[in-house]
Amino acid sequence: METENVIIIGSGPAGLTAAIYAARAELKPIVITGMQPGGQITQTTMVDNYPGFPEGIMGPELMDNMRKQAERFGTRFIDEEVKEVEFTNKPLKIKTETQELEAKAVIIATGAVAKWLGVPGEDKLKGRGVSGCATCDGFFFKGKDVVVIGGGDTALEDANFLTRFANSVTIIHRRNELRASKIMQEHAMSNPKIKFIWDTVVTEVIGEEKVTGVMLSNVKTGEKKEHKCDGVFVAIGHSPATAIFKGQIDLDSENYIVKKNGTKTNVEGVFVAGDVGDRTYRQVIVAAGEGCKASMDVEKYLQEKH
């Protein structure tokens, strides 16, 4: 079996940018695309905050362009899912659905996905009023009435951010108190544009072509009612795609990969880029930048070790 220079697991902005840089450095990278080629950005309609596209660009088109660019420089793609990794010995081993590969270096760029409510109407209206990223999509809700679902720091940060654009922001929380830090609570509660609905869950997102409201249920009284709104921002957390790496590399308490000295992990030759190691920013441009850094770190590592 031939040992590859570098295998990149994941094909979102981080993985494809890493591939572009690795291919240009003549490392002959392989990208294993995973279950969702292009990553979660492919579920976004218009991307307005990626430099170089003054009119914006559709998420799937942006990722298709990145893949074509990586292919132009010689990146090879395996459109499968990684089932198992073995990082305890060298060379590093990766098993997909149909084959086993070996590599001198691996870049993990498997990303993280927003946790969703799983209620009727939510999936149908994603990108048409339902969003998991306020900083990505808030601009599209100028003068609109939106709801934010959650009670932690992310939910309150999203709510405060959305007040820059929205006419009103209503935070819907299943409890009667917030989990967010006190400073975040103070900011939200002192903002005249932010209102709260307590002890309540969303049971349905309403709308045909776009969101028109949500159906609410009070967890204490059982009362059900419709709340009119133009947008639904789900802010109940993210889940990094790290299940296959448990026991192989260090993960933190929320299963994000622990980064050391930039893009390195605790395992020599294994690097990380993008949302799988980033619980804070979760932006396309940040992920792409980390893909660049990881690829450059791999190139340096291979020069020193091989």
Side-chain angles (χ1 to χ4, degrees), residues 248-267:
Q248 297 291 324
I249 54 175
D250 286 349
L251 307 176
D252 67 14
S253 60
E254 295 181 36
N255 293 320
Y256 285 87
I257 295 176
V258 177
K259 293 188 285 188
K260 300 175 185 253
N261 299 323
T263 68
K264 296 178 182 177
T265 68
N266 66 301
V267 176

Side-chain angles (χ1 to χ4, degrees), residues 148-170:
V148 173
I149 302 165
D153 278 350
T154 299
L156 268 61
E157 286 172 6
D158 285 358
N160 276 304
F161 176 81
L162 288 166
T163 59
R164 302 181 191 180
F165 311 102
N167 176 57
S168 71
V169 179
T170 301

Side-chain angles (χ1 to χ4, degrees), residues 126-138:
K126 283 178 185 174
R128 292 186 285 169
V130 174
S131 173
C133 181
T135 52
C136 305
D137 300 327

Side-chain angles (χ1 to χ4, degrees), residues 197-249:
I197 297 178
W198 305 102
D199 297 317
T200 299
V201 295
V202 172
T203 59
E204 182 181 356
V205 180
I206 302 168
E208 289 301 323
E209 294 303 314
K210 61 181 181 178
V211 169
T212 59
V214 289
M215 188 61 70
L216 304 179
S217 176
N218 187 289
V219 297
K220 291 185 176 178
T221 67
E223 178 190 1
K224 297 185 184 339
K225 64 178 181 180
E226 182 179 343
H227 179 86
K228 299 286 187 183
C229 64
D230 304 295
V232 177
F233 289 86
V234 181
I236 56 175
H238 283 73
S239 297
T242 53
I244 60 171
F245 305 115
K246 287 182 179 178
Q248 297 291 324
I249 54 175

Side-chain angles (χ1 to χ4, degrees), residues 2 6 34 47 53 58 64 71 100 121 136 142 155 160 211 226 243 248 252 278 281 290:
E2 182 181 352
V6 57
V47 178
F53 298 94
M58 300 296 282
D64 187 51
E71 287 176 325
E100 182 173 327
C136 305
K142 282 187 174 180
N160 276 304
V211 169
E226 182 179 343
Q248 297 291 324
D252 67 14
D278 173 18
Y281 299 103
E290 288 204 342

Side-chain angles (χ1 to χ4, degrees), residues 149-156 171-173 177-180 185 235-236:
I149 302 165
D153 278 350
T154 299
L156 268 61
I171 296 174
I172 300 170
H173 188 41
E177 60 181 8
L178 300 165
R179 294 177 288 107
Q185 293 189 42
I236 56 175

Side-chain angles (χ1 to χ4, degrees), residues 278-292:
D278 173 18
R279 65 172 71 228
T280 304
Y281 299 103
R282 296 193 297 268
Q283 299 296 305
V284 178
I285 192 168
V286 176
E290 288 204 342
C292 163

